[in-house]
Amino acid sequence: MDQSTIMNKLLGLICVFCVTINISAQRIKTSKDSTKVFYDKVFKSLEVAYLHKKDFDWKKLKAETFKNLETAKDFKSSLKEVKVLLDKIGADHSKVMYQGKNYGPTVDIKWENFSDAWMRKFKAKPEFEAKVLDEKYGYILMPNISFDDFSSENVHKIAQPLYDKIAELKTDNKLEGWIVDLRFNTGGNSAPMLLALYDLLGDNVVWGTLDGDKKLISSTKLNKGIYDQGEKKPSYIKPSGELIDKSKVAVIIGGLTASSGEVTALAFKGRSNTIFIGEKTLGKTTSNMVVTLPFDARMPLSVGYDCDRNGNYYKQIIPDITVSKQDDFDDLLQDKNIQEAILFFNKK
C-alpha cells in the first residue's frame, strides 16, 4: 500500500471517528466509556498506519491493554498505559499529547556527554542565528522549530524571515563557506528549516520516506522556493538572488540533533562540497504524521523511515570528522567544530 493510500485511509478514519464522537458525545457518561473510545482509536490508527504494523498481534495487544486499563481510576490516569503500549511495539518516536502533557517512551539522554558550554547554551533556549564569522564564513544556527498550525501560510510566515536573513548574508558578503549548526535542533517541523536553507540546497530532492521494507514511497523536493511534497497548496518562500548550492558547507551535528533536525542534516547528504562535523545524532529518523485523537489529544505516529535524496536510510547520522565536548559559543572561532569547518573551507 503506498503512502498516499495509507494517509487517505487514516484521514478517513479520523473523519469518520470525529462524526461518531459528535453524535455519541451525550452517551459518553463515564470515564470507562471515555477510555474505551480513546484506546479504540489509538489501536485503529496503529493497525492502519504504524511503520511496523505487520510485526504485531494487535488483537492480543488490545486485549492486554484493556485488561490493564480495568484498574485505571479515570481517563487521565489511564494515559499511563500509552507508554506501556508504545514501549511494547518499539514506537520510541511516538507519543500522545493531552492537555499540555506528553505520554509515551522517555528518551534516555546522557547529559554527561555534553560540554558545559553546550549545556549553558541549551538551557538558554537558543534561537535562529545567521551571521558572518571572521568576515569570511557564513554561520547559521538552526534550532528546533515547533508549531501547531501546519498551513502553507503559517509555514511561509515562519520560514521567510529566516530565509531573508541568510539571503542578506549571501548578497552583502563574499563568503568562502557556510556552517549549518544543528547541535540544538531537537526536531519539530522540517519545512521551515529546509525552506530557510533553500539557497544552499537548491532545486533538488532533499529527503524522502521509505516503507517498512525500505522501499521509497515519497520524496520531498525544493523547487524555486517551493517545498514540494505533492500537496495542492505547498509551503514556500520567495527566493531572491542566485543559488549558492555549490558553495562549501559544513554541517555540525550532535547527540541531541533529532527528528526534523536529522531530516535537515539528511537534506545535505549527497550534496557536493559538504562535510559533517561533530557527533552522531540521536537516531529519531522515522517520518511521523500527527493523528487526531478523541478529547483534543494528538499522537505523532511513525509511518516510515527517513532517507536522503538518494534513498539511503541512516539509523543515526555519523559525522565525517568527530569532535566531542569542544564547544565554544561565546567565541565561535575557538569552537573546535567550527575550526574543523574552516580547515575544510581552506582546502584546495
Side-chain angles (χ1 to χ4, degrees):
M1 187 182 297
D2 63 25
Q3 185 78 349
S4 61
T5 304
I6 291 172
M7 297 302 179
N8 289 336
K9 280 200 171 188
L10 190 54
L11 289 171
L13 285 166
I14 291 166
C15 293
V16 169
F17 205 88
C18 289
V19 172
T20 305
I21 291 297
N22 290 335
I23 294 169
S24 305
Q26 296 302 316
R27 298 203 295 270
I28 299 174
K29 296 178 181 178
T30 70
S31 59
K32 189 174 180 180
D33 292 333
S34 302
T35 301
K36 184 179 187 310
V37 165
F38 184 83
Y39 278 91
D40 278 344
K41 179 60 189 299
V42 167
F43 271 98
K44 185 60 71 175
S45 302
L46 290 169
E47 289 177 57
V48 169
Y50 179 46
L51 173 59
H52 302 297
K53 59 184 180 289
K54 295 177 183 176
D55 298 343
F56 298 97
D57 182 340
W58 294 107
K59 189 175 180 180
K60 181 183 175 185
L61 277 172
K62 191 171 184 179
E64 291 172 355
T65 300
F66 276 87
K67 179 70 175 173
N68 293 343
L69 288 169
E70 289 176 4
T71 59
K73 294 178 181 178
D74 52 34
F75 172 67
K76 200 163 187 179
S77 67
S78 80
L79 292 173
K80 66 185 180 186
E81 194 63 27
V82 169
K83 181 183 187 310
V84 176
L85 173 60
L86 296 181
D87 279 337
K88 280 182 180 178
I89 63 174
D92 63 351
H93 197 190
S94 300
K95 60 187 175 183
V96 165
M97 299 179 289
Y98 176 71
Q99 294 187 345
K101 291 188 177 181
N102 295 329
Y103 301 85
T106 52
V107 180
D108 183 22
I109 304 296
K110 292 180 172 58
W111 296 109
E112 63 271 18
N113 292 340
F114 297 89
S115 69
D116 292 342
W118 186 96
M119 290 297 296
R120 284 194 300 273
K121 183 83 169 179
F122 180 69
K123 288 176 181 177
K125 298 182 179 179
E127 297 183 350
F128 174 85
E129 297 177 26
K131 57 189 176 184
V132 176
L133 301 181
D134 200 25
E135 300 182 354
K136 290 183 283 190
Y137 315 111
Y139 174 80
I140 301 163
L141 190 152
M142 183 65 72
N144 61 304
I145 301 177
S146 298
F147 49 91
D148 294 328
D149 180 357
F150 303 144
S151 67
S152 62
E153 292 84 2
N154 190 54
V155 173
H156 169 73
K157 184 179 177 182
I158 293 167
Q160 189 69 51
L162 309 185
Y163 170 83
D164 289 342
K165 287 182 182 179
I166 296 170
E168 184 180 352
L169 294 188
K170 168 190 74 174
T171 303
D172 295 348
N173 303 274
K174 191 172 182 180
L175 300 174
E176 298 175 16
W178 290 81
I179 298 159
V180 178
D181 193 342
L182 303 176
R183 280 176 281 185
F184 301 102
N185 196 324
T186 56
N189 190 311
S190 60
M193 303 175 194
L194 296 180
L195 282 168
L197 296 166
Y198 167 65
D199 280 344
L200 291 168
L201 291 166
D203 296 322
N204 289 294
V205 171
V206 284
W207 69 286
T209 301
L210 308 174
D211 65 14
D213 298 319
K214 305 280 176 64
K215 292 180 180 176
L216 187 68
I217 50 178
S218 68
S219 294
T220 299
K221 302 174 185 176
L222 287 173
N223 183 27
K224 297 180 173 60
I226 293 171
Y227 189 76
D228 183 6
Q229 290 187 304
E231 308 102 320
K232 289 182 180 177
K233 198 172 183 184
S235 309
Y236 69 99
I237 48 94
K238 294 179 180 176
S240 60
E242 295 183 1
L243 292 172
I244 46 174
D245 54 332
K246 300 295 188 288
S247 298
K248 287 190 173 183
V249 171
V251 180
I252 305 179
I253 54 178
L256 219 57
T257 305
S259 192
S260 292
E262 289 171 296
V263 168
T264 303
L266 278 178
F268 287 90
K269 281 286 186 182
R271 181 190 182 279
S272 61
N273 293 323
T274 305
I275 195 169
F276 289 78
I277 299 169
E279 296 186 271
K280 64 183 180 182
T281 62
L282 185 60
K284 300 295 180 184
T285 49
T286 53
S287 304
N288 281 2
M289 69 175 294
V290 178
V291 178
T292 302
L293 296 172
F295 319 122
D296 295 322
R298 294 181 299 148
M299 178 171 64
L301 179 62
S302 298
V303 296
Y305 294 105
D306 299 329
C307 68
D308 68 14
R309 65 184 67 191
N310 297 314
N312 299 311
Y313 166 71
Y314 308 80
K315 187 172 178 59
Q316 293 171 290
I317 300 167
I318 309 299
D320 301 305
I321 297 174
T322 299
V323 175
S324 180
K325 297 175 74 170
Q326 298 183 71
D327 315 286
D328 192 331
F329 297 100
D330 295 323
D331 183 353
L332 287 169
L333 291 174
Q334 298 305 310
D335 187 300
K336 181 64 172 174
N337 301 274
I338 287 169
Q339 290 175 347
E340 290 289 351
I342 291 170
L343 287 174
F344 169 67
F345 299 150
N346 289 333
K347 282 181 182 177
K348 297 289 185 180

